[in-house]
Structure formats: structure tokens, C-alpha cells
Amino acid sequence: MSRFGVGQPLTRKEDFRLLTGQGRYVDDLSLPNQTYAEFLRSPHAHARIVQIDTEKAKSASGVCAVYVAADVADAGLAGLPVTFMPEKAPPGYAPEFPLLARDVVRYVGESLAMVVAESAEEAARALDKIEVQYETLPASVGLEAAASDGAPELWPGKAPFNISFVWDGGDMGAVVTAFRQAAHLVKIDVINNRVAIAAIECRAALGVHDPESGRSTLYTASQMPHPLRADLAKIFDKPEEQFRVVIKDVGGGFGAKNSMYCEQALVVWAARLLDRPVKWVGQRSDAFITDFHGRDNMTHAELALDQDGKFLGLLVDETANLGAYISGRGAIPPVLNQPALAGTYQTPAIHVRVRGMFTNTVPTDVYRGAGRPEAIYLLERLIDKAADELNIDRVELRRLNIIPADAFPYKTPLGLTYDGGLFERNLDEGLRRIDWEGMELRRAEAKARGTRRGIGLANYVERSGHGVTQNATLRVGHDGGVTVLIGTMSNGQGHETAYAQIAAELLSLEPNQVEVIQGDTDLIAQGKGTGGSWSIPVGGAAMAKASDAVIDKGKDIAGHLLEASDVDIEFSDGNFRVSGTDRAVDWCTVAAAAHDPRQLPEGMTPGLEGTGEFVPSNHTFPNGCHLCEIELDPETGALTIIRYLVVHDFGVVLNPLLLEGQVHGGVVQGLGQAVFERTYYDDAGQLHTSSFMDYNIPRADQIPPIEFTSNPTPCPANPLGFKGCGEAGAAGAPPAVVNAVVDALSEFGIKHIDMPLTPERIWLAINNATTLQSSP
């Protein structure tokens, strides 16, 4: 193991730069002769655009241009690309998502016009001079409203009953058989609430065009530079080579910065027309109504069990809110990650049906976990409800059905093959560390003080990495320093540190000898970006293959310098050595020789670099157990999270500090959705939670210290043993805390409560249950 390689708690290389104001975000970029863009947003959730008059705006001070949908259509620009649509999912309608609305607006915040001016202030003032005449239309806002009889249709004649697609997975016949054999049937209805992304950096874009080369450059904040370049090529109907995407530092992404937005394409288009750079920086109030939201589905599920409590079958019927359009990856969460419904349990038969629904709201897209947290929340809530109805201890019900260590490889009913894990050991370790057995004493003590204690847990396993390939290039300088060029994109995870540690491990270097380059499609040939917790497992494995190529060429050079056959050269601890002897040359000597043609074998090309591609043979399966203890005040509904504990298996731990940061961040986002964050639209489609005065993200004093312990197992699908950790916290937190709250509320006869667990919602649940209990 290198001194600063895999497994070492190296502090983040990028933190000094970021914490001392040396980060480079889009708003920090300014170019000569730059102009500024602002966008007119719809104030209506559903309305026909009768007339739009831009003449006064065009003559306003400082205005360079005003564009509307007709201009976009005349230019032949396509709408925003849809990256994923489920197969075998009739009617499967994906409407064009226009860059600017032309005839009808379908959500508050949809863009109608773009103003480009000499300053952002002049552009904003010109927006006020655009006159729009609307004819308001009836809106379908929530899922229940959109699915009700006679609901206004967003896409009449194309998406009947507001249904975009109906998709199903699993074996319905096997589930029907299981239900016929069942001794018990447990049902639950859950809502997975909509959340705003609330990334610390608002979205922004800067378009630049070079008329001589005909190439355009987009500077933006995104997780996926190469996919964005491909999207631009589709929108403009031009080769990808005509576009460059450059991403510097990113202040949080969480999935919502994966897909293309209209502003990104339009600043590039305007720059091409004006032959001047065009910059747009979104504001927080704008972000709430234009950033793609996350989650938002309601699900009915039924679990069949035999007389002893063994799971026989699971039937799931989900309705997913897509918003007014399907965003680039908006159909992924309700479809692609439904296999997470199998969880850590042996359930012989599972079937799931999903209806993707249009509503007059901002579209949804992937959000940390992208369907995995939704599935795990449903499953773990259902298991707790089953334990209650069958009068079986909830821990023992899980233990009875958990996949044992000797069952791997284990094929789930939804097509995954788990390659390993110690799920029951995770559970046992978590129970011991949180003192599950001592809970009744703590519960009694709390009740004596007039409060109520509850404790909950959730097991999880999720897939990561399969279906995504990654390339990496390691380029060695004449001084032995290494540059890593890789097509992932850090948006807060610490890739500069992580990849430096991997390179240090593979090539016996110091991390300060490694430079990491991401986010420039001209410098990096290929890339899939960052998402799905795949960057370190897949990117790291690609680096390992690239390092093999570097070492192989290094052996050839060392053999030439040592006058030995390359097959007799071995590399370890930074030295190329002739096997069985003390004759060796060090890394820096070989690196210098690689750049000096006089010291190379005849015919060898100068330089020392290697490129590797990793194609995963299977998913990795990070897994663990989350446990949460809470206390609530029945008089006010106020909830306090007392303890939070995670036992995790992420395979080989690359850096314990980075891992801790990922777990902490994921858990807090999960707790945010479950306890604090509420996205509220009224019946007219107006978003009432459109500022941090109304939308409550967690604060540090509301979150207890997050305790966690590592319980790693091998990862056969990954050559470095990494499983991925970015989404685990967000997956386990919601069911763990909701299970804890329901436990605390059980004495009131409450069996379920939907997220978010606001004081009002808890107080109303207690009040309603008490009223029912006291009624004759």
C-alpha cells in the first residue's frame, strides 16, 4: 500500500483552493465583449399564448437582441433531447420539450423569451417590457388530480388521461400464484414527496462562438460534459466536433445538472448569432421554478407472506410525476432502478407497474439515488407494517427473510445477480451499536418527561456502475508527474483527491505528483460524466487498465536502459528492477528517458502514457443498514433526531474521510426529504415553496453526529474492489427515520405517516388519531 494510496485518510487536495476563494465557477468567468442573457418565465401553470410583443424590449437601453419561439423555429433548433424512454411501455409519448414555449405554456417557470443585453441589469429591465397576452387553461397539478376522471389533459390526443407511458417489470404470473398461496396479505400506500435540488451553486451558462473554426463552446456547471456535447449536436443538428463543453468547479449537482436545459443551448445559439459571448447566471428564486425537481410519486404495494412470515410475493403499482415534459433523464427514476425493490431479502416473486404521468409542474429528473431511494423506502415501510399486522418483531421479520451469506451469487426476481454481501451482519452490528435492546428503558424515560421515543431501521442494497463504460488516460511527464485525463466530472465528491490516491497506489507516487483533468471535451476524448455512484468504481478501474499500459512501456524502457529483456523487468515501490537482482532504475529516471529519443529503443515513440477502458461485467452492490432514534413532542409535533447510525459495505475503502463526507451528505439529503423539505404547489400550479424562507433544508444544529462503521466484503465485479458510495445515505435515511417516527406514534394507533414529517403533520396525525379513539 502506498503511503498516500488506497485506504489512507488523505485530506482533500482541492479544499484549500475552494476554501480560499480560488474556485472557478461559471459566475467567475468573464470574457471580452461579453453580453448577458435573461429569460422571461411563465407566471401560469397552463395557458395559451395569444400574443407576445417584444418591440418595446428590443428598443430598450443596452438590448442586443430579443428571441422568442418563432426565432428558434426559424433557426431549425430542436427541443431538449430525451435521453431515456422505457421500452415496451405504450403509449410511450415523449412530447417535444421546446427551448422556448411557442403556443402553450405548461408550468410556472417555463421559458417564453430570451433577452440579450450589455449588462444583466439591462436585460432584466427589458424583460419587464415584453407584453404577453395569455388565455389561462385548467391545470392538472398533483398526481391525484392529473389521474382523476375528466382531468385537464396537458397533451390532448397524444397522452390520454395524462399518461406518458405504462411500464411493467417482473413476473405477474408468479406473483398471482404467490398471492393465492399466501396466509397473509399486507398493503400500504406511500407518497414519495417532491423535492427541490437546492444546489449551492445555481445553474449558469456561458456561450462562445469562433466564426473562423465554426466551433462553439459552452461553459457551464454540469455532471456530464460529453453527454451535454452530444445534446448540443442533436439540438443544432451538427457534428459533435463543432462543440466544446468546458466545466470547471461545480457547486453541487445531485443529478439535476445531468440533463440539458434550454438556457445552455440558447446562450450558445445567441453567441453564434451575435458573434459575442453570451452569459446567463440563474438566481435562487429562478432555480426553484426552473431547476428540474426530484422524486414525486405515489405507490400502492402489497406483500404476500406465508404462515411463518416468509415473503412470497410483492406487487407494486406506482404513479410517477414527470412534470409537464419528460426531461432528459426524467423517465429513469421510476423505471430503470425498480430492481431495488428486491432489497436485501429473498422474495421469490415481484411485479411492478409504473405509470408516468404529466402534470402542470416543472419536470422531474434524476435526484441522488434516482429511483433506488424510492424503492427502498417503499419496501422498508411495507416490512414494518407487515411486522405490525402479523404481530412479529420487525427485526426478526427481516432476519427471517434476509439473504444469507451462503446464498451468493443470488439472482433476484427483477433480474439482478448480487455477487456478495453480509446483510445480516450489517443488521446485527447496527442493532448492537445503537443499543436496540435498551430502547424500552429510553422509551419509558422519554414518556415520563412527556415526550415519545421511537427507533427505526432500514436495510438497503443498490446497484452501481454496470452499463456504463469509462476511459482514462495517464500521461507521465518528464519529471515523473502524472496527469489523469478522465471523462467523469466532480461536483463536490473530491475527485482530485480520489484519483490522485488511485494513481499513487498504482504507480507508487505521491498524490502531489498527480494532476487530475476533467470537464473539457477537447482535452478528453470520451466520457460518460458522473452519476449513479460510478465514478470511482468504473473510473478507477479504467485508471488501473491505463496504469498497466504505462508500466508495460516503462518496462520496455527500463529493459533498454538496464540492457535486459523487458520480460525480466518487474515494477514495485517506484522502481523498475531486473528480477532476482539489485539492478534497477527508478520511476523518475524512466519517465525522463521516455521523453528523450536518444534513450529509447529503436522505433519507440517518445512519451509515456497509457489509456484504459473498463467495461463492467456486472453491477457493484453497495449495501448496509441505517438506524435512527428520534424523540417527538406530542403537544407540538416537534421532532428531534437523537441518533443516526450507518453500517455500510462499500467494498474497499479508498479514503475514509471522503467516504465519511459522502455518507454524511447523503444521509442529510435523505433526512431533508423525510423530515424538513416540502415542495408545495396550489391547485392553480403556483409553487409556494419558492425560497429558503418557505423551503426548509436541514441545518447543522438539526442533525446529530452521524455514526458509521465499515463492514466491507469483496467486489468481484470491480478489479479494485470499489462498490460506490454516493447515493447510499439518501437511500437508507427516509425509511429509517419514518419507521422511527411511526414507532413513536404507535401508541396512538398510527400505522403510517407520509413524508415530510413536519411538526404540523405529526401533530395532526396525533390529534386525528386521538379524536378517533375518543369518539363513540
Side-chain angles (χ1 to χ4, degrees):
M1 178 183 293
S2 169
R3 184 162 64 102
F4 294 112
V6 171
Q8 299 304 303
L10 184 67
T11 55
R12 295 185 3 150
K13 293 178 63 177
E14 49 268 77
D15 279 356
F16 179 81
R17 174 172 58 83
L18 297 174
L19 293 173
T20 56
Q22 300 176 63
R24 294 287 285 169
Y25 300 92
V26 181
D27 198 21
D28 295 317
L29 302 177
S30 290
L31 300 176
N33 204 28
Q34 179 175 285
T35 61
Y36 297 82
E38 294 291 340
F39 292 85
L40 181 66
R41 314 296 191 181
S42 169
H44 300 289
H46 200 192
R48 187 170 290 108
I49 304 171
V50 178
Q51 184 179 5
I52 181 166
D53 186 346
T54 62
E55 291 307 310
K56 293 179 181 177
K58 288 178 178 178
S59 62
S61 173
V63 170
C64 303
V66 179
Y67 303 112
V68 294
D71 302 310
V72 173
D74 290 344
L77 301 187
L80 298 176
V82 175
T83 303
F84 172 81
M85 272 292 285
E87 298 178 357
K88 302 177 183 178
Y93 178 65
E96 181 185 19
F97 194 159
L99 301 182
L100 295 173
R102 182 165 191 169
D103 300 315
V104 177
V105 290
R106 292 180 172 85
Y107 64 92
V108 172
E110 186 169 4
S111 300
L112 289 87
M114 174 190 189
V115 174
V116 182
E118 298 293 343
S119 70
E121 294 76 14
E122 289 171 316
R125 284 196 293 268
L127 284 183
D128 293 335
K129 297 181 181 296
I130 299 176
E131 298 175 355
V132 185
Q133 182 182 346
Y134 297 96
E135 178 190 337
T136 58
L137 300 171
S140 293
V141 180
L143 280 171
E144 287 185 305
S148 63
D149 292 340
E153 292 186 351
L154 277 74
W155 302 99
K158 298 177 179 178
F161 310 107
N162 291 313
I163 296 175
S164 168
F165 60 82
V166 179
W167 174 88
D168 71 287
D171 188 338
M172 187 61 161
V175 170
V176 170
T177 299
F179 274 52
R180 287 173 178 166
Q181 297 171 347
H184 303 285
L185 186 63
V186 179
K187 304 178 181 180
I188 196 168
D189 292 281
V190 303
I191 293 174
N192 210 283
N193 50 312
R194 178 181 282 237
V195 293
I197 305 306
I200 194 169
E201 179 195 17
C202 293
R203 292 188 298 109
L206 171 59
V208 184
H209 184 63
D210 178 7
E212 291 187 11
S213 67
R215 300 187 75 222
S216 298
T217 299
L218 171 65
Y219 296 89
T220 193
S222 175
Q223 300 168 228
M224 296 190 167
H226 291 84
L228 279 191
R229 183 181 64 176
D231 286 345
L232 286 173
K234 292 175 184 176
I235 291 169
F236 285 86
D237 191 24
K238 294 185 180 298
E240 284 189 39
E241 293 73 22
Q242 289 195 16
F243 300 95
R244 178 189 182 193
V245 174
V246 179
I247 300 168
K248 300 293 186 179
D249 293 312
V250 180
F254 314 117
K257 292 180 181 175
N258 287 6
S259 297
M260 174 69 70
Y261 286 83
C262 70
E263 299 91 348
Q264 292 165 318
L266 289 172
V267 296
V268 171
W269 176 58
R272 293 166 73 96
L273 293 178
L274 299 173
D275 195 18
R276 294 178 63 183
V278 180
K279 181 178 181 179
W280 169 78
V281 177
Q283 303 300 309
R284 183 63 61 186
S285 57
D286 206 41
F288 274 102
I289 62 171
T290 64
D291 288 3
F292 299 146
H293 289 173
R295 313 291 192 237
D296 200 352
N297 55 54
M298 60 183 190
T299 309
H300 174 79
E302 302 182 12
L303 179 65
L305 305 92
D306 70 11
Q307 190 63 43
D308 298 320
K310 291 282 286 184
F311 300 165
L312 299 177
L314 174 63
L315 183 64
V316 175
D317 188 6
E318 177 179 310
T319 306
N321 193 340
L322 303 172
Y325 302 89
I326 299 180
S327 63
R329 292 163 178 78
I332 287 178
V335 172
L336 208 56
N337 285 314
Q338 290 293 350
L341 284 166
T344 61
Y345 309 103
Q346 299 179 95
T347 307
I350 301 176
H351 183 269
V352 53
R353 183 184 75 155
V354 178
R355 286 174 294 169
M357 299 285 297
F358 292 119
T359 66
N360 290 113
T361 60
V362 66
T364 55
D365 207 309
V366 293
Y367 176 74
R368 200 166 191 165
R372 303 169 185 86
E374 295 93 313
I376 292 164
Y377 174 72
L378 172 69
L379 178 64
E380 292 295 322
R381 280 297 301 124
L382 183 55
I383 292 173
D384 258 31
K385 193 165 187 287
D388 178 72
E389 291 190 12
L390 274 60
N391 197 28
I392 300 176
D393 180 84
R394 51 192 164 145
V395 172
E396 294 310 311
L397 182 60
R398 287 175 169 84
R399 198 184 302 279
L400 179 66
N401 290 281
I402 208 162
I403 300 169
D406 60 2
F408 298 102
Y410 178 82
K411 187 172 179 60
T412 77
L414 293 177
L416 299 181
T417 300
Y418 297 164
D419 55 15
L422 295 172
F423 301 156
E424 190 168 10
R425 191 171 81 178
N426 293 338
L427 175 63
D428 289 339
E429 180 70 7
L431 296 173
R432 182 185 69 81
R433 286 180 173 269
I434 206 166
D435 187 20
W436 190 275
E437 294 299 324
M439 178 59 189
E440 293 311 311
L441 290 176
R442 301 193 296 278
R443 193 191 305 276
E445 186 274 334
K447 190 169 185 179
R449 291 186 284 105
T451 62
R452 301 295 185 273
R453 279 260 177 149
I455 194 167
L457 66 88
N459 292 318
Y460 80 92
V461 59
E462 57 183 13
R463 64 176 178 177
S464 174
H466 185 51
V468 178
T469 63
Q470 190 58 261
N471 294 72
T473 295
L474 303 184
R475 185 171 296 156
V476 184
H478 62 85
D479 61 352
V482 173
T483 300
V484 179
L485 298 106
I486 191 164
T488 57
M489 186 64 232
S490 180
N491 48 101
Q493 298 92 337
H495 286 182
E496 292 176 44
T497 305
Y499 290 141
Q501 285 189 259
I502 294 172
E505 180 75 21
L506 296 171
L507 300 174
S508 301
L509 303 171
E510 300 292 320
N512 60 11
Q513 293 177 271
V514 182
E515 178 187 10
V516 177
I517 295 178
Q518 302 177 94
D520 190 329
T521 58
D522 273 10
L523 298 179
I524 301 156
Q526 302 178 52
K528 297 297 192 296
T530 286
S533 301
W534 69 58
S535 289
I536 300 307
V538 182
M543 287 178 62
K545 289 183 173 292
S547 75
D548 289 341
V550 169
I551 291 170
D552 285 345
K553 185 172 182 179
K555 288 179 178 179
D556 289 342
I557 297 170
H560 181 71
L561 296 175
L562 295 168
E563 298 180 340
S565 171
D566 61 290
V567 297
D568 294 327
I569 303 296
E570 58 185 29
F571 176 73
S572 64
D573 298 326
N575 292 290
F576 292 88
R577 187 181 308 277
V578 179
S579 300
T581 75
D582 59 359
R583 298 176 60 226
V585 288
D586 64 19
W587 169 264
C588 289
T589 299
V590 170
H595 293 272
D596 183 355
R598 297 169 300 176
Q599 299 188 63
L600 297 178
E602 185 177 351
M604 179 177 282
T605 303
L608 182 56
E609 71 173 60
T611 295
E613 179 184 23
F614 180 61
V615 182
S617 60
N618 190 13
H619 305 278
T620 64
F621 294 99
N623 60 87
C625 180
H626 288 232
L627 301 99
C628 180
E629 187 169 332
I630 62 91
E631 188 166 301
L632 59 86
D633 183 348
E635 296 298 320
T636 65
L639 171 64
T640 302
I641 303 168
I642 303 297
R643 286 188 71 188
Y644 199 95
L645 189 146
V646 184
V647 180
H648 59 74
D649 172 9
F650 296 128
V652 172
V653 175
L654 170 58
N655 182 320
L657 295 180
L658 293 183
L659 175 61
E660 184 175 0
Q662 286 291 296
V663 172
H664 284 189
V667 167
V668 172
Q669 280 192 280
L671 293 176
Q673 181 190 6
V675 179
F676 304 99
E677 300 179 40
R678 184 188 184 204
T679 303
Y680 172 66
Y681 283 95
D682 66 18
D683 292 342
Q686 296 294 329
L687 181 65
H688 286 249
T689 50
S690 56
S691 78
F692 287 134
M693 294 292 290
D694 312 295
Y695 189 83
N696 180 22
I697 60 172
R699 297 186 298 273
D701 63 353
Q702 296 171 311
I703 305 296
I706 297 169
E707 310 163 50
F708 73 102
T709 187
S710 182
N711 182 22
T713 62
C715 182
N718 188 270
L720 299 180
F722 303 141
K723 294 187 178 183
C725 67
E727 294 157 314
V737 69
V738 174
N739 283 344
V741 169
V742 173
D743 178 49
L745 296 175
S746 60
E747 69 172 83
F748 301 102
I750 296 169
K751 307 298 183 182
H752 178 67
I753 184 170
D754 279 314
M755 304 182 290
L757 304 172
T758 61
E760 178 190 26
R761 180 163 289 179
I762 292 173
W763 183 86
L764 284 172
I766 295 172
N767 187 63
N768 292 338
T770 304
T771 301
L772 286 173
Q773 290 175 354
S774 60
S775 62

